[in-house]
Amino acid sequence: MNYGDIKSHFNDLLNRSDITTALTTRFLDQGIARIQRQLRTPMNEKVRNYSITSQTASVTVPNDFIELVSLYYDDRELRRLPMSAFRPMVSSAYEGKPIYFTRQQADLLLHPQPASGTLTMIYYGEFDAMSADSDENILAKAAPDLVVYGGLTFAADFYLDNRAEVFEQKFNQFLGEVQEQANDQELSGGTNSIRPAYEYGDV
């Protein structure tokens, strides 16, 4: 469902004569922002590759970054350390294949520091923005009802609408359905197992 259709459906359900185009856009944008804070599915997974050509101490996360899923260099996944454990390594910033990283504001600090190769980040990112009525991002295509009811929860607060509880319940229902579907897809075709805390390569 494109953005224009979503706005029309939103206005039909809200059913208020005093709604404006600007308010419709604001409420839907607020709803999408709320969804992005809560939803963790392949729909909002993104990949960023960093081509490294000189010794690199850190990389900057993308502007649409929400949460890190995985960071790896060649075939090695890097391990995240708390800053308290990572900080002593800064004084011995030598070149090599990175093993550890930590986050400092918008930067991911690496140790050792790579001088060549590719660092790959998989992360949860913001959905592509919609502005024109013909726009349709992956969220609008897969879960337009979730977008609509996300917007309605904010509209209900604004207008002190007595349907606020119904809108909130429907929003949480659709959010749960989308998240559950994504979780089922992640587990499909495999078996669950507990990964050991240590591997032979760790000692």
Side-chain angles (χ1 to χ4, degrees):
M1 185 179 288
N2 65 31
Y3 196 34
D5 291 336
I6 285 175
K7 288 190 287 188
S8 295
H9 188 38
F10 169 90
N11 288 327
D12 289 342
L13 288 172
L14 187 61
N15 192 27
R16 293 190 66 101
S17 61
D18 55 350
I19 188 70
T20 65
T21 300
L23 283 174
T24 296
T25 301
R26 181 199 300 177
F27 296 144
L28 288 172
D29 287 348
Q30 289 174 323
I32 291 171
R34 182 184 182 188
I35 293 165
Q36 290 176 160
R37 290 193 299 270
Q38 297 181 257
L39 197 64
R40 296 294 180 265
T41 74
M43 279 196 301
N44 50 335
E45 279 186 5
K46 298 186 177 183
V47 178
R48 171 73 180 270
N49 291 312
Y50 299 87
S51 296
I52 296 172
T53 57
S54 60
Q55 187 167 344
T56 301
S58 65
V59 294
T60 302
V61 300
N63 292 333
D64 62 350
F65 179 92
I66 296 176
E67 182 181 327
L68 186 67
V69 177
S70 178
L71 183 69
Y72 59 94
Y73 177 85
D74 292 337
D75 59 348
R76 171 189 291 166
E77 183 164 7
L78 277 61
R79 299 178 187 174
R80 184 169 189 168
L81 295 180
M83 180 59 76
S84 59
F86 189 91
R87 182 57 63 184
M89 299 179 181
V90 175
S91 60
S92 58
Y94 61 86
E95 178 185 328
K97 293 184 177 181
I99 301 173
Y100 308 107
F101 77 97
T102 195
R103 184 171 179 185
Q104 180 175 276
Q105 296 182 326
D107 294 326
L108 300 182
L109 311 183
L110 309 173
H111 184 85
Q113 298 175 3
S116 62
T118 300
L119 187 73
T120 300
M121 177 193 300
I122 302 174
Y123 67 100
Y124 293 115
E126 297 175 359
F127 294 104
D128 294 339
M130 296 184 291
S131 55
D133 284 351
S134 58
D135 289 346
E136 182 182 44
N137 63 19
I138 190 170
L139 178 64
K141 184 175 182 179
D145 47 3
L146 178 59
V147 178
V148 169
Y149 276 90
L152 287 172
T153 63
F154 288 95
D157 287 344
F158 181 84
Y159 289 112
L160 302 179
D161 195 306
N162 58 14
R163 296 170 294 172
E165 185 176 350
V166 174
F167 292 158
E168 182 70 19
Q169 289 175 348
K170 295 290 284 186
F171 171 80
N172 286 316
Q173 175 191 336
F174 293 137
L175 182 72
E177 290 173 356
V178 173
Q179 187 66 66
E180 184 178 1
Q181 183 183 41
N183 294 342
D184 288 345
Q185 289 174 349
E186 288 294 300
L187 297 175
S188 178
T191 57
N192 294 329
S193 62
I194 299 175
R195 183 175 181 177
Y198 299 97
E199 299 176 357
Y200 291 113
D202 294 332
V203 295

